[in-house]
């Protein structure tokens, strides 16, 4: 299958909870990537969720990773729902769904794919599943965010491979930092995506929430149940700050709307 080329409308970028979001629907994102996939210029896509938003409020020095992205897409149903109260429409585009559709609709046999992956097992399973792709991959050590030499090794690897697509799947904010640092290299090429656990979902190493939970904004509950020891603290310290930020911003949005 291929994506039919089309003329895309201008993409509006709005800020919500201190984070830029591009207002573009899922199908239009796929179409845009398909239309521009043969452009050798480097560009990258980030998909902030609740965890990203709260972290950015605490560490604003990370904001350039999102501001300079080609596309910044909302990967959170709760955030998309909260935005409606401003009111702002933020289409939800998850990294997992986006990655799966790209491999099904846009990526072609023979394409060169670079992966900054969480494990060798993920790489092996992706190569088995897609034998007609040229997959080159690097698995950085744990703690790469605080290891400048290893982080630079990720950047250099991605630049040297000259890939059609680059998938950075080692969590946030290290994935976004790598994508941003690649953008500063004059020889960088391809479309880069920061995709969280998308490769692990594709290979079956992690199980996604049922579709009904995703549609209703309860995907976080499924993840918590799947890995409570690791995620309970993250969710506890993300949800309350997010609600506090929303309580402050939503009235300002309505006030600005009334004045305008």
């Amino acid at each position: 299958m291929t994506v039919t080329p089309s003329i895309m409308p201008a993409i509006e970028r709005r800020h919500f909870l201190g984070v830029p979001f591009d207002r573009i629907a899922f199908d239009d994102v796929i179409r845009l990537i398909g239309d521009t996939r043969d452009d050798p210029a480097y560009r990258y896509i980030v998909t902030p969720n609740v965890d990203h938003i709260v972290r950015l409020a605490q560490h604003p020095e990370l904001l350039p990773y999102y501001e300079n992205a080609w596309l910044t897409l909302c990967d959170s149903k709760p955030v998309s729902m909260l935005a409606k109260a401003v009111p702002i429409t933020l289409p939800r585009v998850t990294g997992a769904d986006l990655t799966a559709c790209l491999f099904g609709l846009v990526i072609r046999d023979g394409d060169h794919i670079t992966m900054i992956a969480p494990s060798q097992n993920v790489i092996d399973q992706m190569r088995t599943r897609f034998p007609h792709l040229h997959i080159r991959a690097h698995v950085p050590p744990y703690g790469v965010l605080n290891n400048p030499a290893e982080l630079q090794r990720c950047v250099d690897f991605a630049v040297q491979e000259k890939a059609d697509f680059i998938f950075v799947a080692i969590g946030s904010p290290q994935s976004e930092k790598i994508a941003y640092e690649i953008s500063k290299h004059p020889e960088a090429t391809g479309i880069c995506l920061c995709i969280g656990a998308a490769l692990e979902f594709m290979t079956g190493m992690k199980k996604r929430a049922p579709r009904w939970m995703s549609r209703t904004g309860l995907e976080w509950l499924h993840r918590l149940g799947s890995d409570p020891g690791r995620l309970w603290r993250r969710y506890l310290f993300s949800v309350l700050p997010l609600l506090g930020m929303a309580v402050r911003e939503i009235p300002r949005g309505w006030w600005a709307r009334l004045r305008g």
Side-chain angles (χ1 to χ4, degrees), residues 118-177:
S119 71
Q120 185 62 44
N121 192 12
V122 169
I123 298 166
D124 293 341
Q125 293 199 39
M126 290 296 291
R127 284 174 173 158
T128 298
R129 183 168 177 179
F130 300 100
H132 301 298
L133 298 176
H134 299 285
I135 296 178
R136 294 276 294 157
H138 172 65
V139 180
Y142 181 79
V144 67
L145 180 65
N146 298 312
N147 188 329
E150 289 294 341
L151 193 141
Q152 187 61 46
R153 186 179 174 191
C154 293
V155 173
D156 293 341
F157 180 84
V159 171
Q160 291 165 6
E161 288 303 314
K162 303 296 183 185
D164 300 295
F165 292 90
I166 304 167
F167 294 93
V168 189
I170 56 171
S172 179
Q174 51 269 24
S175 291
E176 290 76 18
K177 181 173 177 59

Side-chain angles (χ1 to χ4, degrees), residues 12-171:
E12 180 186 9
R13 176 167 288 192
R14 294 286 301 271
H15 285 73
F16 179 59
L17 302 176
V19 180
F21 290 101
D22 293 309
R23 300 177 64 200
I24 176 171
F26 184 90
D27 289 347
D28 289 333
V29 174
I30 297 296
R31 189 173 297 111
L32 178 60
I33 295 173
D35 287 352
T36 60
R37 52 148 288 146
D38 294 322
D39 182 346
Y42 175 82
R43 51 228 184 268
Y44 70 96
I45 299 171
V46 296
T47 54
N49 57 25
V50 171
D51 192 39
H52 296 222
I53 291 169
V54 173
R55 184 187 300 112
L56 282 168
Q58 300 166 347
H59 299 280
E61 69 274 11
L62 304 178
L63 189 58
Y65 306 161
Y66 298 82
E67 293 283 6
N68 288 281
W70 179 48
L71 292 174
T72 302
L73 307 170
C74 179
D75 189 350
S76 170
K77 183 69 171 181
V79 171
S80 179
M81 294 169 65
L82 285 171
K84 292 180 180 179
V86 172
I88 301 173
T89 299
L90 294 182
R92 185 184 180 216
V93 181
T94 72
D97 289 332
L98 181 58
T99 301
C101 280
L102 289 180
F103 274 92
L105 297 174
V106 177
I107 294 174
R108 307 166 186 160
D109 288 353
D111 276 352
H112 290 257
I113 309 296
T114 292
M115 296 178 180
I116 307 298
S119 71
Q120 185 62 44
N121 192 12
V122 169
I123 298 166
D124 293 341
Q125 293 199 39
M126 290 296 291
R127 284 174 173 158
T128 298
R129 183 168 177 179
F130 300 100
H132 301 298
L133 298 176
H134 299 285
I135 296 178
R136 294 276 294 157
H138 172 65
V139 180
Y142 181 79
V144 67
L145 180 65
N146 298 312
N147 188 329
E150 289 294 341
L151 193 141
Q152 187 61 46
R153 186 179 174 191
C154 293
V155 173
D156 293 341
F157 180 84
V159 171
Q160 291 165 6
E161 288 303 314
K162 303 296 183 185
D164 300 295
F165 292 90
I166 304 167
F167 294 93
V168 189
I170 56 171

